[in-house]
Amino acid sequence: MKKIYTLSIFLSLILLFGCSKDFLKSYDNRIIGTWRITDVSRIGLFGDADKLPFKSGTFDFNEDGSLTYVNTANVLYQGRWDIVKKVIDEKTVRSLQVSAINFTNHEILSAYYDDMNFLSTNHFRSETVSTFITYVTHFRR
C-alpha cells in the first residue's frame, strides 16, 4: 500500500511540473504576445463574415493594453485591447474588446468578442454574437 501511495504522489508531481502552467495565469497575461487569426466560422442564419473588422491578420497584444494589428495586405493598425470578466448565471464569461486605427488613412476597426476561451497555450477562440448569427474566430500563436 505504501508503494502505491508513493508512486501516485510521484506521478502527480511529474504531471504537475511537466505541464504548462498557463491555465494558472489570468487571461490578461495569457493573451500577451503575437496571435494570428486562423479561422472565422459562422453559426446561424444570414450574415457575411467579410463585413467583420478582423477576419484575418496578426495581432501583437502588449502588456500595457496596447496592440498592433497587421492585416493580410500588410496594413498596420495601432490600438488598445481589454478583457472584461463578468459572471452571468453563475458562469464566468470573458469578453475581449479590440479597437485599432490606421494612422495613414484614419480607418478605425473595432470588435467586441462576447465570449473568449483559451483552448490551449497557443489557441483561443472568441465569439461575436449578433441577432441571428454567431461568428467564431480562432486565434493561434
Side-chain angles (χ1 to χ4, degrees), residues 5 13 25 31:
Y5 181 71
L13 288 173
K25 294 180 182 177
I31 198 171

Side-chain angles (χ1 to χ4, degrees), residues 36-52:
R36 63 184 165 78
I37 296 175
T38 58
D39 183 48
V40 177
S41 57
R42 183 186 71 183
I43 302 169
L45 304 172
F46 314 114
D48 184 4
D50 288 337
K51 294 181 181 178
L52 292 174

Side-chain angles (χ1 to χ4, degrees), residues 14-65:
I14 288 175
L15 288 174
L16 180 65
F17 292 107
C19 296
S20 171
K21 306 301 181 290
D22 272 356
F23 71 93
L24 298 173
K25 294 180 182 177
S26 71
Y27 273 43
D28 287 348
N29 290 329
R30 291 175 77 178
I31 198 171
I32 304 301
T34 302
W35 296 86
R36 63 184 165 78
I37 296 175
T38 58
D39 183 48
V40 177
S41 57
R42 183 186 71 183
I43 302 169
L45 304 172
F46 314 114
D48 184 4
D50 288 337
K51 294 181 181 178
L52 292 174
F54 304 105
K55 52 190 171 287
S56 61
T58 303
F59 287 92
D60 282 316
F61 294 100
N62 301 311
E63 195 171 340
D64 64 356

